[in-house]
DNA sequence: AAGATTTTTGACCAGTTGGAAAAATGTTAG
DNA sequence: CTAACATTTTTCCAACTGGTCAAAAATCTT
């Protein structure tokens, strides 16, 4: 089975207020979507950026349109001109998220060296936690709520992708290249350990303190995780 | 340093509406707190239980008093009689949470066998994820928001506890009993991997599917994590 | 520059929110 | 039983919520 891209949920990216009636002229034409203008694209991006900021902290219900509008630097009605519903903004965010969020796993190649592939995957996930913490938190917020908006995609697309990669892992196990263990829980543990640095960032920093809580913590984490997944905690004689 | 219990934030557990003025009799007495009646304790428990249900899913801002009251089976004003402020409920929940949530780590004894101690700790945390998923999600929700209500405790009490246990781990490393690695990130990885099964439960179940998504998933997780922390993924010759 | 279109704004609305006040109802110690 | 207290319900409110709408302002097209 090919890597298979997630289907995108879009479908709701109409320019704005649908059909400014102006196309009464064309009458029966099958609703040509009309390409987005520059301004529309720019404003939508600004809004999505602001929405990410707010949703990722307060969750869907806890976030307010006013707040998003304020962060986006525009009035509420103006924002609603581009996204007529609060849900619409969230939906867009979620579908964009799922695509980019799973890309790292798709990149794990069956024909590479197992340890190199797994290590690279962990690195990539850790980099995402470092560079896109808000996306990680947005995702986490959705999970905590029971993923009402994306449960279907989880059960279909995500499951398919993970099934595929679990097969790859099992092949490696069959070949004796990595230890035989549960490939699904292996993937879970990579997700958990890497995303932890985005989602629980406050806690991580509170504990590491000023001294070690700087940007270096991601390098430390990478080094630690590398060892964990390679050898666990069993002491080995020095090389 | 002794295990040191977390200080409880309480301080706001007054019976209800403060000083039903009734104590004008006692006049200048130093405000005797007056012990909680049976009903007060029961009702407060019911409310806290309902609040846990709601807060853990929607976060602080996303949760409404009406909703909590409904789950608790009482009217909103009645609920407000016991907890005059929404924040009050949340505060109580959080302080109770921190105490029970960290108990497992406190139990990790320096004088035990390292692998036994670590494995037991992982087990306990996993059991908590299984038996108290809502508490786990409540905690996660607070973290995602930047832990505004408990940041102090994280920086003081939690840090102290983790520092202490990190010392224990380092001692074990010095003795060559476990592999030398970063003890803080080791603890983080245990938290992350175990809490994942509560916080991301939907995802875990969506991926494992009906077949393996049953209660058995916790046993599978325990087995997998045991191996991960013991040996990582490096294949070993069969015993 | 005029006309057509798109974007922005201000006023507004109905429903919900956290919470206050007070009246009504229980409960219990003397 | 009854007074003192505890609990519950009813009513109310001001602020906030997601969202509408018409008109004004800005932009684009010709």
């Amino acid at each position: 089975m090919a890597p298979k891209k997630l289907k995108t949920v879009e479908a709701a990216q109409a320019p704005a207020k649908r059909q400014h009636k102006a196309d009464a002229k064309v009458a029966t034409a099958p609703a040509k979507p009309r390409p987005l203008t520059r301004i529309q694209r720019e404003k939508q991006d600004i809004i999505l950026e602001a929405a990410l900021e707010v949703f990722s902290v307060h969750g869907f219900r806890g976030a307010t349109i006013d707040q998003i509008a304020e962060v986006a630097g525009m009035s509420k009605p103006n924002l609603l001109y581009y996204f007529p519903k609060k849900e619409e903004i969230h939906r867009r965010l979620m579908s964009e998220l799922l695509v980019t969020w799973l890309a790292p796993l798709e990149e794990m190649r069956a024909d590479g060296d197992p340890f190199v592939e797994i290590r690279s995957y962990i690195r990539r996930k850790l980099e995402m936690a470092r560079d896109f913490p808000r996306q990680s938190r947005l995702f986490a917020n959705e999970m905590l709520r029971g993923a009402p908006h994306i449960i279907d995609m989880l059960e279909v697309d995500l499951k398919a992708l993970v099934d595929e990669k679990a097969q790859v892992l099992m092949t490696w196990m069959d070949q004796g290249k990595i230890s035989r263990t549960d490939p699904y829980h292996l993937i879970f543990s990579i997700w958990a350990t890497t995303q932890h640095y985005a989602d629980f960032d406050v806690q991580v920093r509170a504990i590491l303190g000023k001294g070690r809580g700087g940007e270096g913590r991601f390098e430390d984490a990478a080094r630690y995780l590398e060892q964990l997944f390679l050898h666990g905690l069993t002491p080995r004689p020095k090389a």
Side-chain angles (χ1 to χ4, degrees), chain A:
Chain A
M1 193 191 289
K4 191 186 187 181
K5 284 266 170 38
L6 288 191
K7 83 164 165 247
T8 183
V9 196
E10 308 288 330
Q13 57 115 246
K17 229 84 172 184
R18 59 274 197 191
Q19 326 294 86
H20 278 268
K21 65 175 160 268
D23 45 8
K25 289 184 274 187
V26 211
T28 52
K32 181 161 276 174
R34 185 173 295 172
L36 298 199
T37 72
R38 175 184 49 87
I39 290 188
Q40 280 168 342
R41 247 178 294 113
E42 284 177 8
K43 290 286 164 103
Q44 288 193 5
D45 283 353
I46 292 176
I47 292 170
L48 290 173
E49 156 73 21
L52 172 60
E53 188 75 32
V54 179
F55 279 136
S56 66
V57 173
H58 297 291
F60 182 74
R61 285 190 42 174
T64 73
I65 297 184
D66 296 77
Q67 206 181 346
I68 297 172
E70 196 194 320
V71 173
M74 64 181 73
S75 69
K76 178 169 59 168
N78 196 188
L79 181 152
L80 285 166
Y81 169 72
Y82 292 101
F83 292 90
K85 299 266 175 197
K86 185 187 179 185
E87 262 199 308
E88 209 75 14
I89 313 176
H90 193 257
R91 198 200 317 279
R92 272 285 288 281
L93 238 29
M94 290 307 300
S95 63
E96 284 179 16
L97 176 60
L98 266 176
V99 175
T100 64
W101 208 241
L102 297 173
L105 181 54
E106 280 170 13
E107 282 178 42
M108 199 175 75
R109 313 290 314 168
D111 51 2
D113 172 72
F115 279 105
V116 171
E117 290 295 320
I118 291 173
R119 205 187 54 191
S120 304
Y121 179 45
I122 292 172
R123 286 254 169 199
R124 284 194 298 272
K125 284 292 284 180
L126 208 46
E127 278 163 17
M128 293 192 72
R130 181 192 60 196
D131 300 334
F132 309 106
R134 296 175 309 175
Q135 277 85 342
S136 183
R137 290 189 200 117
L138 178 68
F139 191 76
N141 255 309
E142 183 71 7
M143 289 299 125
L144 288 176
R145 288 196 304 148
H149 291 23
I150 56 170
I151 184 69
D152 295 346
M153 276 186 296
L154 296 185
E155 284 171 348
V156 179
D157 306 277
L158 175 57
K159 183 177 186 335
L161 175 63
V162 174
D163 279 342
E164 180 201 331
K165 296 307 180 183
Q167 277 304 320
V168 171
L169 289 165
M170 300 232 289
T171 305
W172 289 339
M173 291 174 199
D174 289 342
Q175 297 168 346
K177 290 180 177 170
I178 64 173
S179 175
R180 181 166 298 284
T181 189
D182 190 313
Y184 290 94
H185 290 279
L186 167 52
I187 291 174
F188 293 156
S189 67
I190 293 176
W191 288 345
T193 49
T194 53
Q195 292 178 4
H196 187 81
Y197 291 97
D199 304 343
F200 286 66
D201 184 52
V202 224
Q203 185 178 241
V204 167
R205 282 211 289 225
I207 287 170
L208 292 182
K210 291 184 191 71
R212 300 188 60 224
E215 278 305 300
R217 67 189 187 279
F218 285 99
E219 261 316 306
D220 293 342
R223 254 194 304 280
Y224 164 74
L225 290 178
E226 199 164 309
Q227 169 176 338
L228 173 65
F229 283 93
L230 198 57
H231 299 291
L233 301 176
T234 299
R236 289 164 293 132
K238 286 241 168 70

